Amino acid sequence: MRVLVVGGGGREHALVWKIAQSPLVDKIYCAPGNAGIARQAECVEIPAEDIAALRRFALQEAVDLTVVGPEAPLCAGIMDAFAARGLKLFGPSRKAARIEGSKVFAKTLMARHGVPTAAFRTFDSTDRAKAYVDIVGAPLVVKADGLAAGKAVIVCRTVEEAHKAVNRIMIEGEFGEAGGQVVVEECLEGEEASVLALTDGQTIAVVPSCQDHKPAYDGDEGPNTGGMGAYSPAPVVTAELLCLIERDIIVQTVHAMNREDRAYNGVLYAGIMISDDTPRVLEFNCRFGDPEMQPLVLRLKSDIVPLLLAVTEGRLDEAEIEWDNGAAICVVMASGGYPRKYEKDKPISGLEEVEQMEDVVVFHSGTRREGGRILTDGGRVLGVTARAPTIAEAQKRAYQAVEKIHFEDAHYRTDIGWRAVGR
Ligand code: AMP
Ligand code: GLY
């Protein structure tokens, strides 16, 4: 088989790394890829958003399966474009990807079908949004409707902050077109977890739970990022809670999407807040998580390719999925300054030494090769990922590896996994 992976971050490296282990596959392409991905795949210089060029490439190279990492091409309809030319692609259609592409759609879908989520209202007028803020009072969360790389979610501690957030989104246009409408919602307290499920629209296979770490600094301080580290399983998601989440959130949502003629095929990612043993949805994503995918692939014992194919071909009921009983953790090493301004092109050392370590894999996010050197090329640079029988051991092993890797101004959290280890 010939497989094309779309994207060039840590999640896509994890996918490529796992796909490369499949005996079914003899060629992997990745568009655009990065320096780490280039070791397992042929990187092609096509941006992940250029659907027309990606389709031309897939046709020309007779690609058997395309797997899409990021949300932007899915929300823009890459699945529909490929299907129209008879190309197989793992990921939801444009209509189904709307569950991530529009927060107004996702929230109203949940309201229509009784999926537990924070109380909310949606607005296309600043005056009405602010009037609602005044009535309900703070704390509140204000979200721009559309895609904004996870940045358009503003947690507001005061009414003034919420007014400012509405202005930033709707008047100042800080998040572009994403800010045409806003969601104003109840601020939930509790512990977050990510629950992902593979589905072909009929059969659902829930994946082991994970927990991401969005704030930039130790102790969950500082600005939100794309994710500074993740681990799996997340002990906050007990077996009972996972059953509840599957029944009330995942099954209910896949069913709701069918009812609304938006049959969902691919991986559905539910970001969940757990307060007093009650799970509620914070957001849905239409793709694998980054960095959640990095620990997940280390725990996946089955060949991933038959799974991706089974989902795409609507026969997930035939698939067998085996997970490692242990734990895995990913520590993200980022450029100094991330998620704000940062510099690129810093040489990275120590990667060869870490390669000798057992049960450790370094997934690349923002890297590029220049001559014999690997240079930093983005905010998140590496996802140092380790597997062990317990989270505490995996954490120790991951940080042993992190300490061997160096680049100027490297920044990483030193407490990834703290909630799980503390339990
Ligand atoms: P989202 O992209 O919607 O998941 O939001 C990003 C982050 O904002 C989440 O991971 C939460 O930490 C936070 N967040 C979003 N919605 C809420 C909410 N209703 N209450 C508290 N925190 C929230
Ligand atoms: N790690 C959060 C996300 O992938 O959206």
Side-chain angles (χ1 to χ4, degrees):
M1 269 181 71
R2 298 157 77 77
V3 178
L4 166 65
V5 174
V6 175
R11 164 183 53 210
E12 289 76 26
H13 192 192
L15 274 165
V16 164
W17 177 85
K18 187 69 189 167
I19 292 168
Q21 291 165 28
S22 173
L24 299 171
V25 171
D26 27 50
K27 179 80 189 176
I28 310 176
Y29 299 101
C30 188
N34 61 40
I37 290 173
R39 296 192 51 188
Q40 288 106 26
E42 182 181 330
C43 295
V44 283
E45 266 183 63
I46 305 175
E49 295 75 28
D50 192 344
I51 294 175
L54 290 167
R55 183 168 75 171
R56 265 197 307 277
F57 179 82
L59 284 168
Q60 181 191 312
E61 298 301 323
V63 166
D64 299 293
L65 175 68
T66 299
V67 185
V68 181
E71 62 277 11
L74 291 166
C75 292
I78 191 170
M79 189 272 168
D80 313 74
F82 273 53
R85 300 298 298 272
L87 291 164
K88 235 175 257 173
L89 181 140
F90 176 88
S93 66
R94 188 179 60 83
K95 259 169 103 177
R98 196 159 165 78
I99 201 159
E100 174 164 3
S102 166
K103 290 189 192 293
V104 169
F105 169 75
K107 292 293 293 192
T108 54
L109 178 92
M110 288 189 269
R112 285 193 293 278
H113 296 270
V115 176
T117 188
F120 73 100
R121 290 277 301 275
T122 67
F123 299 95
D124 51 18
S125 130
T126 42
D127 289 345
R128 287 208 206 111
K130 288 181 191 167
Y132 179 71
V133 164
D134 290 338
I135 294 167
V136 290
L140 277 176
V141 183
V142 181
K143 302 181 174 183
D145 175 44
L147 288 185
K151 294 186 191 88
V153 172
I154 306 168
V155 178
C156 308
R157 293 286 152 209
T158 63
V159 165
E160 290 70 41
E161 275 177 46
H163 281 210
K164 266 194 206 140
V166 171
N167 286 345
R168 279 172 64 190
I169 294 172
M170 299 190 82
I171 296 178
E172 291 152 33
E174 196 175 319
F175 309 100
E177 274 177 30
Q181 291 185 77
V182 285
V183 175
V184 181
E185 70 178 34
E186 172 194 8
C187 188
L188 300 176
E189 305 287 336
E191 189 170 339
E192 284 182 48
S194 312
V195 176
L196 284 74
L198 294 168
T199 180
D200 57 10
Q202 298 299 321
T203 305
I204 292 168
V206 175
V207 162
S209 61
C210 322
Q211 190 171 64
D212 186 12
H213 300 61
K214 288 207 171 106
Y217 311 128
D218 284 7
D220 286 335
E221 300 285 339
N224 257 348
T225 68
M228 293 300 293
Y231 62 88
S232 172
V236 63
V237 184
T238 58
E240 292 78 24
L241 259 177
L242 192 60
C243 283
L244 206 65
I245 291 168
E246 175 165 355
R247 189 191 69 188
D248 294 350
I249 294 174
I250 305 291
V251 173
Q252 190 67 3
T253 301
V254 169
H255 177 59
M257 292 295 274
N258 280 331
R259 289 282 308 274
E260 300 207 358
D261 192 23
R262 293 177 189 270
Y264 196 95
N265 188 300
V267 62
L268 180 65
Y269 168 135
I272 287 169
M273 183 72 90
I274 297 160
S275 346
D276 302 325
D277 284 334
T278 304
R280 273 175 291 185
V281 176
L282 293 173
E283 63 162 344
F284 282 116
N285 295 321
C286 64
R287 47 161 179 86
F288 289 112
D290 189 346
E292 286 93 329
M293 192 57 174
Q294 289 85 315
L296 281 176
V297 293
L298 282 203
R299 293 193 60 206
L300 178 60
K301 285 167 86 174
S302 316
D303 185 344
I304 196 171
V305 175
L307 283 177
L308 299 171
L309 274 175
V311 169
T312 308
E313 293 170 355
R315 37 176 198 81
L316 185 57
D317 56 332
E318 293 168 16
E320 279 181 36
I321 316 178
E322 204 187 335
W323 297 94
D324 180 82
N325 278 329
I329 193 163
C330 170
V331 178
V332 170
M333 297 183 75
S335 298
Y338 172 77
R340 303 204 175 100
K341 235 180 90 171
Y342 57 84
E343 291 177 8
K344 294 183 184 179
D345 301 327
K346 312 282 187 200
I348 306 172
S349 66
L351 293 170
E352 301 76 20
E353 202 185 326
V354 171
E355 234 165 72
Q356 309 305 318
M357 292 176 70
E358 221 175 291
D359 287 327
V360 175
V361 185
V362 178
F363 295 114
H364 291 223
S365 303
T367 65
R368 66 184 184 88
R369 180 177 281 280
E370 194 180 83
R373 296 190 308 175
I374 302 215
L375 306 178
T376 66
D377 192 34
R380 291 190 288 180
V381 176
L382 301 169
V384 181
T385 312
R387 174 176 55 203
T390 65
I391 296 273
E393 290 164 278
Q395 184 191 49
K396 201 165 145 212
R397 192 166 293 173
Y399 279 109
Q400 280 167 353
V402 165
E403 275 162 28
K404 296 182 201 287
I405 299 173
H406 299 280
F407 57 89
E408 199 185 313
D409 293 334
H411 161 65
Y412 57 88
R413 281 181 58 162
T414 64
D415 63 350
I416 300 301
W418 67 274
R419 282 198 177 83
V421 172
R423 259 164 202 267

